[in-house]
Amino acid sequence: MDYLEQIHKRFFIILASVILFLGFIFYYNFYLIDYSLANLEVMRVKIESIKSLKDIATLKDNFKKIILYELSEPKLDYRCILDLDFAYSILNSIQDKRQLKDIKFFIEDAIKIKSSKKDRIVYFLDRVLNKLFGSYYRETPLYKLKFQEINLFKKIQSTKDKFTLQRLYFELADLYIKLNDY
């Protein structure tokens, strides 16, 4: 009986540790992760994985979302925005696959700018969680987009803070970009 109790005790300790660890990861992922930096990392990986110029059309909408997100930040980082603007300009007029290296350069520079402002441990944790949970971009069904639109309008009507209002307008613009695809 003593042996069985030890096994139960160890099992519950391991189970509690796993639950706490997963709880921390989910909490971090939903509340503390820097989505701006994560989106840039995802875009860099997508740029690296492009096989032909035909695949570029899918990146443009995602890139618009990243730029809108950066523009809606309360404290604008102009160097980062300029890097993203240069990369987006190249992306819009790309004619040769070698230009992807230029786009990647500007995205990596924006990542360096944003990550230099973060603690190294937090930046490392962001990268690990981004690899674990994958891309921030996911295809969203039309009915969910319409539901988000209604909720955004309600939030806009009830918000008084100008920074929150600005972010909500950018989220609405991003939503209209997604709805344009349907």
Side-chain angles (χ1 to χ4, degrees):
M1 204 58 151
D2 206 22
Y3 178 71
L4 207 58
E5 287 178 12
Q6 287 179 349
I7 290 176
H8 283 288
K9 192 175 187 180
R10 287 183 184 167
F11 174 75
F12 285 119
I13 290 173
I14 292 171
L15 183 65
S17 299
V18 168
I19 290 172
L20 284 173
F21 177 72
L22 290 176
F24 169 75
I25 287 177
F26 284 116
Y27 174 79
Y28 185 86
N29 190 37
F30 291 114
Y31 296 105
L32 299 176
I33 194 167
D34 183 357
Y35 283 108
S36 174
L37 192 55
N39 292 339
L40 289 172
E41 291 281 352
V42 168
M43 185 58 70
R44 183 182 55 79
V45 170
K46 286 185 177 190
I47 294 288
E48 290 172 348
S49 67
I50 288 182
K51 303 284 188 253
S52 69
L53 292 180
K54 294 177 184 176
D55 301 332
I56 290 177
T58 60
L59 292 179
K60 288 182 182 180
D61 288 338
N62 291 345
F63 216 95
K64 286 179 192 175
K65 180 176 183 160
I66 290 173
I67 292 172
L68 285 173
Y69 193 85
E70 286 299 319
L71 287 171
S72 68
E73 290 291 323
K75 292 185 179 180
L76 294 178
D77 189 338
Y78 296 107
R79 284 185 50 210
C80 185
I81 292 172
L82 285 174
D83 280 339
L84 294 176
D85 186 47
F86 286 141
Y88 187 69
S89 297
I90 295 169
L91 184 66
N92 277 331
S93 61
I94 194 165
Q95 296 176 356
D96 188 358
K97 192 174 177 201
R98 291 177 290 181
Q99 289 176 298
L100 290 172
K101 291 180 183 175
D102 297 331
I103 296 170
K104 184 180 169 191
F105 169 79
F106 286 116
I107 291 173
E108 286 176 344
D109 192 45
I111 289 171
K112 285 178 190 172
I113 291 167
K114 292 191 83 55
S115 65
S116 68
K117 296 177 181 177
K118 294 185 78 167
D119 184 60
R120 289 288 169 206
I121 295 172
V122 174
Y123 176 65
F124 174 75
L125 193 55
D126 278 349
R127 291 189 70 187
V128 168
L129 291 176
N130 191 35
K131 294 240 188 261
L132 285 175
F133 294 106
S135 173
Y136 179 68
Y137 302 107
R138 290 176 173 78
E139 293 297 320
T140 309
L142 182 61
Y143 74 92
K144 286 188 178 181
L145 293 176
K146 290 290 188 181
F147 185 72
Q148 287 176 356
E149 179 185 23
I150 292 168
N151 284 337
L152 278 173
F153 275 124
K154 288 178 183 176
K155 287 180 184 176
I156 287 171
Q157 290 174 348
S158 65
T159 301
K160 302 288 186 225
D161 179 48
K162 66 180 182 178
F163 290 116
T164 306
L165 199 56
Q166 180 183 13
R167 180 169 301 278
L168 290 172
Y169 280 128
F170 279 116
E171 285 180 23
L172 187 62
D174 174 52
L175 188 62
Y176 285 139
I177 290 169
K178 287 180 183 176
L179 285 169
N180 192 34
D181 292 340
Y182 283 97

